[in-house]
Amino acid sequence: VTLDSAHCLSGGADGAINVVDILGSRTMYKYTGHTSAVTCLATSSDSSTFVSCSMDHTVHVVELASGKQIVRYHHTAEVRCVAMTPDGSRIISGAADGSVLVVQKDTALPVHQYTQHKAPVTRVLPTTEGMGIITADEDGIIHVISTATGEKNQ
């Protein structure tokens, strides 16, 4: 559900994402950009865009109102989790190979790549002030990464 509670998104094993207008009780569209199961969805704080990730190794950034893809980028493994920074300027994604990527939302240009996890990354979460990223993996290991340097905070 978007932060404004106006839309609900659901991703399926077929790679499709259903976008539903909650207030109008209708499906707006089905986004079909992924070729394999959708593993995670996140929306921007202003509810204007959503980001999705998939077993097809890709992350897609999509304009919510129109369903138009803004940008997409690739990981080297299945992408398990995705989030947006509070200001909506960056995308954070975690993959089955333990990597975490931070990219610019509108261009997919890399900002940081973090490869310290030894197990698949299951959760990425920006801190509320946007100065750090919390990551977790299947082994239960949690890291806090600086958004300024891309390095693990000590």
Side-chain angles (χ1 to χ4, degrees):
V1 175
T2 55
L3 292 176
D4 64 4
S5 298
H7 301 93
C8 182
L9 292 82
S10 66
D14 63 355
I17 298 166
N18 290 306
V19 179
V20 175
D21 174 356
I22 294 172
L23 302 175
S25 299
R26 66 177 181 85
T27 299
M28 292 172 51
Y29 59 87
K30 181 183 274 193
Y31 177 77
T32 57
H34 289 289
T35 60
S36 191
V38 174
T39 53
C40 189
L41 294 159
T43 60
S44 60
S45 59
D46 66 0
S47 301
S48 66
T49 57
F50 72 85
V51 59
S52 60
C53 63
S54 171
M55 299 296 280
D56 68 6
H57 301 204
T58 66
V59 175
H60 295 212
V61 181
V62 180
E63 185 179 273
L64 187 89
S66 68
K68 178 184 175 198
Q69 184 183 93
I70 297 169
V71 70
R72 78 174 178 175
Y73 64 93
H74 295 266
H75 269 264
T76 56
E78 297 95 358
V79 190
R80 301 284 181 87
C81 50
V82 68
M84 295 180 90
T85 55
D87 67 2
S89 67
R90 295 179 178 179
I91 307 298
I92 307 154
S93 51
D97 62 0
S99 66
V100 175
L101 293 179
V102 181
V103 304
Q104 292 293 338
K105 180 190 88 172
D106 294 329
T107 62
L109 290 174
V111 177
H112 299 296
Q113 180 172 4
Y114 184 75
T115 58
Q116 300 301 310
H117 282 284
K118 305 297 183 222
V121 177
T122 57
R123 184 76 165 120
V124 292
L125 180 69
T127 58
T128 54
E129 79 286 346
M131 299 304 294
I133 300 165
I134 301 164
T135 63
D137 67 28
E138 282 186 356
D139 289 338
I141 304 298
I142 296 171
H143 295 178
V144 180
I145 305 166
S146 166
T147 53
T149 65
E151 299 295 322
K152 182 176 162 184
N153 288 341
Q154 300 300 325

